[in-house]
């Protein structure tokens, strides 16, 4: 028998004054109440109750034991209440992992806005472009760009992560505006690269459903996109970067979108969380807010 259940039955028997009264209160048979108490007595090796046909009374061991049982059951009830509150109201800590550029530029302001609306939630935000296993590393939720989905994770789709090609007005005045992807071979390009220098870099563009791939070259490549953005605004070449980040640079006139009429690559993006855990209210509300903010419109 479950010990906590036996403790509850024992406390109820003491409070009600008899096994029969406890049985009626708990919707059990008197025999089952007796079995629970006997189970505790057998485990402890001591009698908890002195019983006669007319009355029952606590032994010295029983008196000390029932007080401690009440404390334990109160703590258990408190723990259950905390868990229920976390499942009904957003509260507690969320450990979130997201790609570096998306996390720093798009997710960060979303997180602060979410925390303003949910004051009892704390967020630990980790930014990394490596492939993270949330089950092994203890993350509650992660954002992943690409099509590598794990069946152990629940995946909610977000809007595709779109890339656009841009250059500064000064660069374009000096080198000219490319009108076709093949013309990029004649330009200085700024590729995002976390691969070996010996590997070639290819950019893919599409128009009217037809994709065109071009091998690009340049004197600067980096695995940190802010390096490439600063180089592009300084007039050092053409970069291919996230549309949401570049929108403000284009609006400010620091960059100009190149290859008019062509679409840059778009990669699927998802918010994911472990399928084997019951989501807390904080996790549910965070995922719902993310899909509302970053969902595909």
């Amino acid at each position: 028998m479950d010990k906590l259940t036996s403790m509850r039955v024992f406390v109820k028997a003491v409070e009600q004054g008899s096994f029969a009264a406890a049985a009626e209160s708990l919707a059990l048979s008197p025999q089952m109440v007796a079995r629970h108490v006997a189970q505790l007595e057998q485990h402890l090796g001591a009698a908890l109750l002195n019983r006669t046909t007319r009355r029952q009374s606590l032994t010295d061991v029983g008196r000390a034991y029932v007080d401690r049982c009440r404390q334990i059951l109160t703590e258990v009830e408190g723990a259950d209440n905390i868990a229920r509150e976390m499942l009904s109201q957003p509260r507690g800590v969320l450990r979130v992992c997201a790609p570096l550029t998306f996390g720093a530029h798009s997710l960060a302001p979303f997180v602060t806005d979410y925390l303003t609306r949910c004051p009892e939630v704390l967020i630990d935000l980790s930014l990394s472009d490596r492939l993270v296993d949330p089950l092994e590393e203890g993350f509650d939720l992660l954002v992943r760009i690409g099509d590598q989905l794990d069946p152990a994770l629940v995946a909610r789709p977000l809007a595709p992560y779109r890339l656009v090609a841009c250059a500064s007005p000064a660069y374009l005045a000096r080198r000219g505006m490319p009108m076709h992807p093949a013309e990029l071979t004649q330009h200085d390009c700024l590729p995002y690269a976390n691969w070996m220098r010996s590997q070639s870099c290819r950019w893919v563009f599409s128009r009217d459903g037809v994709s065109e791939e071009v091998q690009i070259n340049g004197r600067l490549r980096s695995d940190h996109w802010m390096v490439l953005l600063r180089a592009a605004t300084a007039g050092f070449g053409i970069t291919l970067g996230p549309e949401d980040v570049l929108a403000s640079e284009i609006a400010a006139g620091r960059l100009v979108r190149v290859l008019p009429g062509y679409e840059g690559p778009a990669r699927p993006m998802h918010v994911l969380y472990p399928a084997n855990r019951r989501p807390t209210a904080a996790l549910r509300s965070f995922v719902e807010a993310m899909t509302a903010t970053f969902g595909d419109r």
Side-chain angles (χ1 to χ4, degrees):
M1 293 182 181
D2 177 73
K3 186 181 289 187
L4 281 175
T5 301
S6 295
M7 286 181 176
R8 289 190 182 95
V9 172
F10 169 60
V11 170
K12 184 63 69 173
V14 172
E15 292 173 347
Q16 296 292 322
S18 71
F19 286 5
E24 183 177 354
S25 175
L26 296 170
L28 298 173
S29 67
Q31 293 80 8
M32 182 58 69
V33 172
R35 286 184 61 189
H36 278 289
V37 175
Q39 177 86 1
L40 292 175
E41 291 178 329
Q42 181 179 359
H43 172 73
L44 296 170
L48 297 174
L49 291 168
N50 294 314
R51 297 181 66 235
T52 67
T53 55
R54 301 185 61 181
R55 56 172 299 193
Q56 70 180 28
S57 62
L58 287 164
T59 65
D60 290 341
V61 173
R63 192 172 296 107
Y65 191 69
V66 75
D67 288 341
R68 185 54 61 91
C69 284
R70 288 191 178 106
Q71 294 175 24
I72 292 170
L73 293 173
T74 298
E75 289 295 324
V76 170
E77 183 178 0
D80 288 347
N81 288 337
I82 289 173
R84 291 190 191 101
E85 287 177 10
M86 290 184 68
L87 290 170
S88 61
Q89 297 294 327
R91 64 182 301 181
V93 179
L94 279 180
R95 295 195 65 223
V96 180
C97 185
L100 183 58
T101 302
F102 174 78
H105 291 274
S106 301
L107 189 62
F110 164 83
V111 166
T112 54
D113 179 66
Y114 173 84
L115 291 174
T116 300
R117 291 183 283 107
C118 300
E120 294 190 68
V121 177
L122 291 80
I123 291 181
D124 288 340
L125 177 59
S126 176
L127 303 182
S128 175
D129 287 333
R130 64 186 178 85
L131 195 63
V132 171
D133 185 335
L135 299 174
E136 289 187 2
E137 301 186 41
F139 287 106
D140 301 298
L141 175 148
L142 61 89
V143 179
R144 183 169 291 170
I145 298 171
D147 53 9
Q148 293 180 309
L149 299 182
D150 188 330
L153 303 176
V154 176
R156 296 281 296 275
L158 304 176
Y161 194 66
R162 302 184 185 279
L163 304 179
V164 295
C166 294
S168 71
Y171 176 87
L172 294 174
R174 188 172 69 251
R175 299 289 299 274
M177 168 70 80
M179 304 300 292
H180 188 278
E183 296 177 28
L184 293 178
T185 59
Q186 307 302 316
H187 283 265
D188 294 321
C189 295
L190 301 165
Y192 177 87
N194 52 7
W195 49 76
M196 299 295 291
R197 166 60 76 172
S198 60
Q199 292 179 302
S200 63
C201 180
R202 296 178 180 274
W203 288 352
V204 179
F205 299 89
S206 62
R207 184 174 186 176
D208 298 329
V210 178
S211 296
E212 297 188 45
E213 184 178 283
V214 57
Q215 182 173 329
I216 55 93
N217 297 289
R219 294 166 56 208
L220 173 64
R221 62 171 65 184
S222 175
D223 62 357
H224 197 301
W225 198 78
M226 283 304 299
V227 173
L228 306 176
L229 176 60
R230 291 191 176 118
T233 56
F236 203 73
I238 299 174
T239 189
L240 183 70
E243 185 177 41
D244 59 341
V245 178
L246 288 170
S248 60
E249 300 294 325
I250 295 171
R254 289 185 289 268
L255 292 175
V256 176
R257 185 166 177 175
V258 303
L259 295 177
Y262 285 88
E263 294 292 328
R267 303 181 65 195
M269 184 164 65
H270 295 82
V271 56
L272 308 104
Y273 56 91
N276 64 348
R277 299 178 192 167
R278 183 180 179 184
T280 64
L283 178 60
R284 289 198 307 271
S285 66
F286 191 88
V287 170
E288 289 168 2
M290 277 207 69
T291 54
T293 301
F294 300 108
D296 194 349
R297 297 176 181 83

